Amino acid sequence: MEEKNIISAQTKLLCIIGCPIEHSMSPIMHNAVIKDLNLDYVYLAFNVNPYDLKLAVKALKTLDVKGINVTIPFKEKIIKYLDEINPIGQKIGAVNTIKNEDGYLIGKNTDAEGSKKAILNSGYAISGRNVLILGAGGAARALSYGLANDINKITIINRNKNRAEKLAKELNRNFGIDIKSKKFSTSTLKEETKKADLLINTTPIGMYPNVDITPISAEFFHKDLFVFDVVYNPLETKLLKEAKECGCKTLGGLDMLVYQGVSAFEWWTNEKPNVNIMKSKIIEFIKKKG
Ligand code: NAP
């Protein structure tokens, strides 16, 4: 087979834009499968000054970047600069993946399907469950839209109550399911965790380097609770460690990260990446660099 892992004038560019961007694991996992599949692509990360987003989007077209991931703080702001948004991206109001078709930029949200796939692949059946979501930001939006068709009830607890209320109203309007929103407090966490089957942390609490904190006291857990933390660095957060010690089943954020990446990669290249390679390269990188 012809060696394509040489960067040449024909190599096609994929990238992620964000600010900051140094923490991103996307170049690690995408370049690993580009190499594995011997494709003529390269995936880079660009730190974009928030004031320059419009210019950056123009540059993506000018430089013919074929596929783009979008991360904090641009997932919502980038929508107005794109030519088309898929229905789920429109509903969520956030885009994390863009395909450049001859200068026509199509955006979609692969976090929603990535999170659902991660939970299902862990063997947990979501149908009819009562879900408690901590946080109401971008990850909470994607997750709740991804799960809303299957579950029984969602309770959203957030520091900023208005943000939780807005998301709850939207979900209720779009899916007609039972949704409550509450303000983040110890007593609310205690009361709501008792009633939940699935607890999902979508706040950055416990993320590297603040690895010694957790959003919820372990004394509120019950052994039938499934605990999913979207944080993937560290691979096992304090929340997950304590939940495991209480006998709960747990899932870290790595699978969600990888599955949203799989959807993006397939969309851009029409090739099926090896999920295990994507995962193992990230694990290797996190263990080495922290
Ligand atoms: P975001 O839009 O900024 O939302 C953050 C949410 O966390 C908000 O609801 C915020 O509450 C809450 N929060 C932040 N600090 C808090 C604190 N100290 N106490 C209580 N609540 C707090 O961020 P995001 O995009 O949703 O990302 C959140 C986390 O998910 C990050 O760690 C990110 O790396 C991770 N993530 C993982 C994946 C994956 O694939 N595994 C994908 C996306 C995101 P307020 O509304 O009150 O500010």
Side-chain angles (χ1 to χ4, degrees):
M1 201 196 303
E2 190 194 338
E3 175 63 73
K4 294 203 192 104
N5 285 146
I6 296 169
I7 296 174
S8 74
Q10 280 131 49
T11 302
K12 293 180 274 302
L13 181 57
L14 304 172
C15 77
I16 181 163
I17 60 169
C19 184
I21 201 63
E22 294 75 17
H23 66 283
S24 175
M25 297 291 154
S26 293
I28 304 290
M29 66 176 174
H30 285 292
N31 284 316
V33 282
I34 285 169
K35 188 170 179 203
D36 177 57
L37 291 164
N38 205 20
L39 301 178
D40 198 5
Y41 282 87
V42 65
Y43 187 111
L44 299 176
F46 295 119
N47 192 62
V48 171
N49 183 317
Y51 294 108
D52 290 335
L53 180 61
K54 190 176 175 186
L55 278 176
V57 175
K58 192 156 185 268
L60 295 169
K61 289 191 186 193
T62 309
L63 300 176
D64 196 26
V65 180
K66 300 291 184 195
I68 303 107
N69 279 132
V70 183
T71 189
I72 292 173
F74 301 128
K75 286 185 184 181
E76 293 162 32
K77 291 184 192 105
I78 201 160
I79 286 181
K80 63 174 177 285
Y81 302 122
L82 304 182
D83 300 302
E84 187 183 321
I85 313 292
N86 82 332
I88 183 85
Q90 273 178 30
K91 278 191 176 154
I92 297 171
V95 150
N96 72 323
T97 307
I98 299 166
K99 189 174 183 182
N100 180 358
E101 290 186 348
D102 299 322
Y104 186 81
L105 300 184
I106 307 166
K108 67 168 155 176
N109 190 304
T110 66
D111 280 335
E113 59 188 277
S115 56
K116 183 172 171 180
K117 199 158 181 196
I119 297 174
L120 293 178
N121 272 22
S122 76
Y124 187 73
I126 52 177
S127 174
R129 301 290 190 178
N130 294 333
V131 182
L132 174 58
I133 298 182
L134 311 184
R141 294 184 67 79
L143 255 151
S144 49
Y145 271 90
L147 300 179
N149 269 326
D150 301 278
I151 59 189
N152 178 44
K153 191 173 113 185
I154 303 181
T155 302
I156 302 162
I157 296 185
N158 197 44
R159 193 172 53 178
N160 173 341
K161 172 111 186 324
N162 291 341
R163 206 174 179 190
E165 231 164 59
K166 183 175 174 284
L167 176 56
K169 275 190 188 146
E170 263 181 49
L171 289 164
N172 186 265
R173 210 175 35 242
N174 280 305
F175 300 95
I177 57 167
D178 183 4
I179 321 248
K180 273 193 296 187
S181 58
K182 299 209 163 178
K183 189 162 170 56
F184 208 100
S185 76
T186 307
S187 58
T188 310
L189 288 171
K190 181 178 180 182
E191 186 191 323
E192 293 302 327
T193 308
K194 267 191 229 157
K195 298 182 237 164
D197 303 307
L198 171 58
L199 167 76
I200 307 177
N201 174 46
T202 72
T203 77
I205 300 171
M207 186 168 81
Y208 180 86
N210 303 309
V211 298
D212 293 327
I213 53 173
T214 175
I216 178 167
S217 167
E219 61 187 294
F220 304 156
F221 296 146
H222 56 85
K223 67 170 180 33
D224 296 324
L225 189 68
F226 184 93
V227 181
F228 174 27
D229 195 342
V230 302
V231 172
Y232 55 83
N233 188 4
L235 294 163
E236 186 175 73
T237 56
K238 184 172 181 188
L239 168 68
L240 295 185
K241 193 166 176 287
E242 291 186 341
K244 243 187 213 170
E245 284 163 6
C246 292
C248 305
K249 291 214 168 63
T250 61
L251 176 68
L254 178 64
D255 286 27
M256 173 176 168
L257 174 74
V258 169
Y259 287 121
Q260 65 75 28
V262 168
S263 302
F265 192 86
E266 287 178 353
W267 192 36
W268 296 328
T269 66
N270 291 320
E271 298 276 350
K272 281 212 171 313
N274 182 321
V275 176
N276 293 331
I277 291 180
M278 294 169 96
K279 262 198 215 179
S280 62
K281 283 290 169 187
I282 295 174
I283 293 171
E284 200 182 296
F285 188 83
I286 289 178
K287 285 190 173 158
K288 219 186 279 173
K289 301 256 179 181

